Amino acid sequence: MAKRRDRNFLGPSGTSLGLGEFWALTLAGFTLFFAVWAGVAASGWLPPNLLPSPAAVWDTLVRLWHQPFAGHVYAEHLTASIGRFLMGWALAVGIGIPLGLLMGWYRLLDEIVTPLFDAMRFVAPLAWVPLAALWFGTGIGGPLLIIFVGAFAPCVISAYRGARLVETRLVEAAQTLGASSRQIMTHVLIPGALPSIIAGLRVSAGLGWQSLVGSELIVVGAGLGYLMVQGQGNLNTSVVIAGMIGIGVVGFAIDVVLRAIEAAFRKRWGQA
Amino acid sequence: MSEIVFEGVTRRFPLPKGGDFLAIDRIDLTIEEKEFVAIVGPSGCGKTTLMRMAAGLDFPTDGRVLVGGKEVKGPGPERAVVFQQFALLPWKTVRENIGFGLMCKGTPKAEAEAAIARYVDLMGLTGHEDSFPHQLSGGMQQRVAIARAYVMQPAALLMDEPFGALDAQTRIVMQEELVRLARRNPRTVIFITHAVDEAIYLADRVVVMGRKPGRIIETIDIRPLREDGGWEALPIEEVMDTPDFTHMRSRIWKLLKAREQERPAVPAPTPAPVPAK
Ligand SMILES: Nc1ncnc2c1ncn2[C@@H]1O[C@H](COP(=O)(O)OP(=O)(O)OP(=O)(O)O)[C@@H](O)[C@H]1O
Ligand SMILES: [Mg+2]
């Protein structure tokens, strides 16, 4: 969905849309969504405690901003989640990117790690929750492990692909100019893999952030996931939806920032 | 010491369907210290492969390649390479590309800057120092690739069709410049080209290769012609008009053509019908 902004926008008949039309349609989409939601809520098909109206959710959000719920105000839950996410994501990036680059460079490592990795990839981050709970109890380690598991794979894969896509002749040219392995890593492989790495960072941040709620199901303290679980426990649907909105907005913001960085790099090097 | 010796060099490439392809068949060739050797031959005859083995980027299946008496084990900055497809680093500016080898070597900054500036000037790249390769024309990229090799002051220069992407005028300027450089600061050069003219004008010896399998058909010494004809004092156009030069050119053309005609698989081109007036 986000991709469309990078290119020309193609309508169903293949004609491209201007930026103004694009935003108009985006706005129309959201308006329609809220209208349907408000309509269904007002129709009384579902009791308001199961489906609160958009206005009720908004009121709840405003209230959560000032009054602590589950021990903290909304902003504190937000920052707790973001902080946890950043730590887990940084760990995934810090280990995953170098590992991927090395796999692209050393065939042997590639052959050792890839099968293992392919097998592990299919265990969803949420499937790690019980193990994380057993290992770390309610400590910070549990959520970190789960965000890590969610964000790790795209980091490794993107760095690996990026390094493999760097043209051999560039590495060879550097070698004939006397570059050491380290210089080839920093001046050829990393910059060559960077567009792919940045695209991977975007995917991994998305997946890491999505794994967050799962991780926070086992946290006691603060966080959007925790807020939502508490809301569920109190049968407070508005609070649950308010938490979901926070997750969506922050996730979208992360994506926008990383997309801007990606675009800046492409422009600088003229790479498609 | 940078004499380059190919000793019974054979290179086979494995074919995807099994078996292998004989790209180079038992080549013996010695390029003396500070000698300029041009290699001409049809596409696919193994010129690039031969050069890559001198560079240490590829290795013979049989035989040995020696540089300065030592068997080549890998690439090194004393053997600079100008690649057929430039191979500039897209994320580095012209200045950074030219200075890359110096940086790897740990040349002091001021010294490196001065050397870079000299070659930027020599290659007519002034004003483009901070451009990225994708912002340059093909010919300019090629000049950056040449500057990047020259700036290393290598004992041996291995150039794979280095003037291929240049327009005729720039090409002549570069050829004359290369002759000047070679005279001022002689070094061992392997120069691959499709242009027979260029090979005769630049080289001490021209190696003519044939294909299927890739091998040397003949090695021709140009030095007697150049010295007797006083080529070095003449502009390039005049050199190319001398009878010695034109004879040499047709001799090499015949060698290349004879080889092709030995292979009946390739039909001779039919002459275009002459339009009736
Ligand atoms: N890595 C490789 N794997 C398989 N075959 C190869 C490889 N490199 C070269 N060859 C084959 O070896 C032969 C010689 O190739 P090479 O690139 O040396 O030719 P060339 O004389 O430089 O041609 P050109 O003038 O077109 O550059 C070709 O038939 C090519 O297909
Ligand atoms: Mg070639």
Side-chain angles (χ1 to χ4, degrees):
Chain A
M1 47 132 207
K3 261 269 142 65
R4 274 191 304 173
R5 287 228 290 134
D6 299 334
R7 311 211 184 124
N8 284 334
F9 319 114
L10 287 182
S13 57
T15 54
S16 52
L17 302 176
L19 201 61
E21 284 159 304
F22 171 77
W23 283 113
L25 291 179
T26 303
L27 191 66
F30 273 100
T31 312
L32 188 69
F33 172 76
F34 282 108
V36 170
W37 175 6
V40 173
S43 72
W45 287 339
L46 291 165
N49 59 350
L50 283 189
L51 185 67
S53 69
V57 171
W58 177 252
D59 287 343
T60 307
L61 256 175
V62 172
R63 193 158 36 75
L64 288 174
W65 202 260
H66 300 291
Q67 290 171 21
F69 182 88
H72 301 276
V73 294
Y74 197 80
E76 287 168 341
H77 287 296
L78 257 182
T79 47
S81 286
I82 292 175
R84 217 171 269 136
F85 160 75
L86 285 179
M87 274 191 277
W89 189 53
L91 210 61
V93 170
I95 299 175
I97 303 277
L99 179 66
L101 287 172
L102 287 173
M103 281 166 63
W105 187 221
Y106 295 110
R107 267 286 157 75
L108 189 65
L109 185 65
D110 181 10
E111 268 148 31
I112 295 170
V113 177
T114 303
L116 188 74
F117 196 69
D118 278 343
M120 304 260 288
R121 211 146 51 93
F122 294 100
V123 181
L126 276 190
W128 287 77
V129 169
L131 189 63
L134 284 174
W135 281 358
F136 298 103
T138 55
I140 180 75
L144 285 196
L145 175 67
I146 288 156
I147 298 169
F148 178 85
V149 167
F152 187 62
C155 288
V156 177
I157 293 171
S158 66
Y160 169 75
R161 285 225 182 103
R164 290 308 286 270
L165 283 178
V166 173
E167 292 171 85
T168 319
R169 63 198 171 89
L170 295 184
V171 176
E172 289 180 347
Q175 285 175 329
T176 63
L177 290 163
S180 65
S181 295
R182 244 195 68 196
Q183 284 166 330
I184 287 174
M185 194 49 117
T186 53
H187 293 279
V188 185
L189 289 183
I190 293 178
L194 209 52
S196 170
I197 290 176
I198 292 170
L201 288 185
R202 229 178 86 198
V203 175
S204 84
L207 287 176
W209 182 249
Q210 282 171 33
S211 313
L212 180 81
V213 184
S215 83
E216 288 180 343
L217 298 175
I218 57 171
V219 184
V220 174
L224 287 175
Y226 177 67
L227 172 84
M228 289 164 66
V229 174
Q230 295 298 309
Q232 180 208 350
N234 292 337
L235 298 179
N236 192 336
T237 315
S238 289
V239 170
V240 173
I241 296 177
M244 290 170 72
I245 290 175
I247 290 172
V249 169
V250 173
F252 185 70
I254 292 173
D255 196 60
V256 166
V257 170
L258 288 171
R259 197 150 16 99
I261 294 175
E262 195 180 347
F265 272 107
R266 286 185 185 208
K267 196 168 158 205
R268 182 171 147 91
W269 294 336
Q271 292 175 333
Chain B
M1 276 298 291
S2 54
E3 173 200 51
I4 301 171
V5 181
F6 296 89
E7 254 180 28
V9 168
T10 295
R11 180 66 165 106
R12 295 171 188 278
F13 289 108
L15 293 171
K17 293 188 217 91
D20 48 33
F21 171 77
L22 180 58
I24 288 184
D25 189 22
R26 287 165 298 168
I27 281 190
D28 290 299
L29 174 66
T30 298
I31 298 151
E32 309 285 348
E33 169 98 35
K34 300 193 195 300
E35 189 184 18
F36 193 127
V37 165
I39 301 180
V40 296
S43 185
C45 71
K47 304 181 295 294
T48 299
T49 307
L50 201 63
M51 190 208 74
R52 285 173 59 81
M53 290 192 286
L57 296 170
D58 195 6
F59 300 92
T61 327
D62 269 310
R64 303 195 296 166
V65 182
L66 305 151
V67 175
K70 283 203 221 72
E71 191 160 351
V72 175
K73 296 276 188 238
E78 74 291 348
R79 278 163 288 138
V81 179
V82 179
F83 290 86
Q84 199 168 2
Q85 291 121 351
F86 322 150
L88 301 176
L89 299 174
W91 40 86
K92 292 194 181 288
T93 62
V94 166
R95 190 198 309 279
E96 290 165 343
N97 265 290
I98 298 177
F100 185 73
L102 298 175
M103 183 212 73
C104 291
K105 208 160 66 172
T107 307
K109 212 168 155 81
E111 197 182 313
E113 284 300 322
I116 294 166
R118 195 162 68 244
Y119 284 96
V120 162
D121 183 43
L122 199 63
M123 292 293 142
L125 291 163
T126 310
H128 297 280
E129 294 91 334
D130 297 312
S131 303
F132 287 94
H134 75 271
Q135 297 168 317
L136 307 178
S137 71
M140 288 161 85
Q141 292 182 33
Q142 196 155 45
R143 281 179 272 153
V144 176
I146 296 169
R148 181 174 73 172
Y150 283 4
V151 80
M152 297 301 289
Q153 303 282 1
L157 251 178
L158 311 172
M159 306 173 89
D160 196 353
E161 293 187 37
F163 301 152
L166 303 181
D167 60 84
Q169 276 159 301
T170 316
R171 198 172 177 129
I172 287 178
V173 173
M174 289 302 202
Q175 287 164 349
E176 288 180 329
E177 191 55 54
L178 185 56
V179 165
R180 217 173 5 248
L181 275 171
R183 201 172 332 135
R184 198 188 319 149
N185 196 352
R187 59 187 88 240
T188 312
V189 181
I190 296 182
F191 187 98
I192 296 172
T193 178
H194 273 127
V196 173
D197 280 349
E198 186 170 88
I200 303 171
Y201 176 70
L202 293 172
D204 295 325
R205 276 192 299 157
V206 175
V207 172
V208 183
M209 285 181 71
R211 67 181 159 188
K212 306 236 166 155
R215 57 199 175 92
I216 295 177
I217 301 172
E218 198 162 328
T219 305
I220 302 166
D221 200 338
I222 308 291
R223 275 166 293 203
L225 291 190
R226 170 172 307 118
E227 279 149 26
D228 295 348
W231 288 3
E232 310 214 327
L234 299 174
I236 188 166
E237 321 80 73
E238 279 181 37
V239 172
M240 290 186 177
D241 276 344
T242 60
D244 279 352
F245 193 97
T246 49
H247 282 150
M248 183 55 71
R249 178 169 50 199
S250 52
R251 178 173 161 203
I252 294 175
W253 272 120
K254 278 181 199 136
L255 282 171
L256 289 168
K257 212 160 123 194
R259 262 308 288 184
E260 287 303 291
Q261 279 170 352
E262 272 172 38
R263 299 167 49 240
V266 181
T270 41
V274 182
K277 266 260 157 101

